[in-house]
């Protein structure tokens, strides 16, 4: 399932889909399939235009981010769960350290809460999600990250085998039971929270959503945007992946709701 999902996403992301449609259009032209050639070229151009020159991706993303508003700061927190994805693990494997990527706010928020709540245990779930499987995961890097800021590594519970969100939850459940932890703050990107919460609910694990890593202002309207095509493409790609993930997990019975809220 892991490899299948990786291969599917390789084709399904918007810019890749445009490439394959253009390639099919050229192939159709060689065989004289004029209607198919025209249809493929039109679909590729349409997807490319929507991806690059509209705010549709940002609008889709901010709908996900608004699904679980962050609650008030807790007076006390006994534990927190952080889902991986915030470190450039290919870089850290080669160079050491703890290089953050765009989702790094998951770990800066973890650090802030760890300092505010010094008694809280910290469970970081994240292994190597690459095809090769030769990089260290977020759980391993997070130990260096916490130590660098004076957080006792004894507070950390590492789950470094998972490669997907589904595996995050399945592997985390056993560790929570082993360490007697419950009602933890769940820290992940705001757009990723609906899918994560759906999985935790299905697994019967009560958590408190603590979204981070916001990518939108929250008040973007649908329309044309010719000022930032590369950012629009990134937002659309992220939103598409998350919405496909929600649908796939629901259809395969991994969550009980299509759009958890």
């Amino acid at each position: 399932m892991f490899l299948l999902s990786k291969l599917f996403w390789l084709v399904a992301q918007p810019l890749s889909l445009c490439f394959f449609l253009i390639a099919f259009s050229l192939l159709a032209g060689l065989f004289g399939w004029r209607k198919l050639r025209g249809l493929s070229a039109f679909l590729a151009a349409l997807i490319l235009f929507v991806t690059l020159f509209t705010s549709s991706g940002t609008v889709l993303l901010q709908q996900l981010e608004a699904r679980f508003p962050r609650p008030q700061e807790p007076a006390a927190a006994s534990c927190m769960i952080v889902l991986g994805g915030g470190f450039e693990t290919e870089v850290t494997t080669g160079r050491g350290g703890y290089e953050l990527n765009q989702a790094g706010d998951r770990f800066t928020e973890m650090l802030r809460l760890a300092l505010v709540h010094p008694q809280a245990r910290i469970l970081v779930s994240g292994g190597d999600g690459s095809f090769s499987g030769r990089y260290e995961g977020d759980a391993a890097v997070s130990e260096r990250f916490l130590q660098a800021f004076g957080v006792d590594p004894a507070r950390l519970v590492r789950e470094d085998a998972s490669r997907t969100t589904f595996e995050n939850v399945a592997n985390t459940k056993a560790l929570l039971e082993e360490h007697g932890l419950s009602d933890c703050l769940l820290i992940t990107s705001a757009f990723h929270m609906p899918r994560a919460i759906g999985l935790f609910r299905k697994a019967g694990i009560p958590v408190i959503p603590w979204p981070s890593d916001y990518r939108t202002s929250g008040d973007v309207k649908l329309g044309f945007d010719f000022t930032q095509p590369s950012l629009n493409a990134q937002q659309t790609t992220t939103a598409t992946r998350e919405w496909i993930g929600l649908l796939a997990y629901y259809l395969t019975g991994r969550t009980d709701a299509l759009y958890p809220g």
Side-chain angles (χ1 to χ4, degrees):
M1 183 63 75
F2 168 71
L3 290 177
L4 182 62
S5 65
K6 287 282 189 180
L7 292 172
F8 173 79
W9 180 240
L10 183 65
V11 176
Q13 54 188 297
L15 295 183
S16 293
L17 190 57
C18 289
F19 169 80
F20 287 112
L21 284 170
I22 291 171
F24 181 77
S25 177
L26 293 173
L27 184 64
L30 291 176
F31 284 94
W33 302 334
R34 293 184 177 181
K35 290 185 178 180
L36 283 177
R37 181 186 64 183
L39 179 61
S40 297
F42 171 76
L43 288 175
L46 179 62
I47 294 171
L48 196 61
F49 181 84
V50 171
T51 299
L52 296 176
F53 301 120
T54 76
S55 60
S56 57
T58 301
V59 170
L60 288 171
L61 205 58
Q62 74 181 6
Q63 293 301 313
L64 292 166
E65 290 184 339
R67 196 65 171 167
F68 287 92
R70 183 182 292 182
Q72 292 184 342
E73 186 83 17
S78 61
C79 62
M80 64 187 84
I81 300 166
V82 189
L83 301 187
F87 291 108
E88 291 287 357
T89 53
E90 183 176 352
V91 176
T92 61
T93 301
R95 297 181 179 274
Y98 34 83
E99 297 297 326
L100 297 169
N101 60 28
Q102 192 173 4
D105 189 42
R106 301 183 189 188
F107 288 89
T108 58
E109 185 63 12
M110 170 196 74
L111 175 62
R112 186 188 72 81
L113 289 168
L115 296 174
V116 172
H117 304 284
Q119 302 306 315
R121 299 295 302 277
I122 306 162
L123 192 157
V124 177
S125 177
D128 180 9
S130 68
F131 272 121
S132 65
R134 61 188 181 91
Y135 304 121
E136 62 181 352
D138 286 64
V141 184
S142 64
E143 185 169 359
R144 296 199 300 271
F145 180 71
L146 289 170
Q147 282 183 306
F149 290 93
V151 177
D152 186 355
R155 296 170 59 186
L156 178 66
V157 178
R158 286 175 45 173
E159 188 289 292
D160 51 14
S162 59
R163 301 165 298 174
T164 65
T165 308
F166 177 76
E167 292 179 356
N168 283 146
V169 177
N171 296 337
T172 292
K173 184 175 183 178
L175 287 174
L176 291 174
E177 293 172 352
E178 178 183 340
H179 292 272
L181 303 176
S182 62
D183 298 312
C184 300
L185 299 177
L186 174 62
I187 304 172
T188 190
S189 299
F191 66 82
H192 184 241
M193 190 63 75
R195 184 153 58 103
I197 287 293
L199 288 167
F200 274 94
R201 286 176 178 170
K202 180 74 173 182
I205 306 172
V207 291
I208 301 167
W210 198 264
S212 63
D213 177 35
Y214 287 89
R215 309 286 177 91
T216 74
S217 65
D219 59 1
V220 176
K221 307 299 182 185
L222 185 62
F224 299 115
D225 181 5
F226 298 99
T227 64
Q228 46 186 9
S230 58
L231 177 60
N232 291 337
Q234 185 179 53
Q235 299 283 71
T236 303
T237 300
T238 302
T240 301
R241 181 173 186 171
E242 203 57 37
W243 283 102
I244 289 176
L246 282 166
L247 178 62
Y249 278 13
Y250 177 68
L251 292 178
T252 55
R254 291 182 169 184
T255 60
D256 289 328
L258 175 62
Y259 190 30

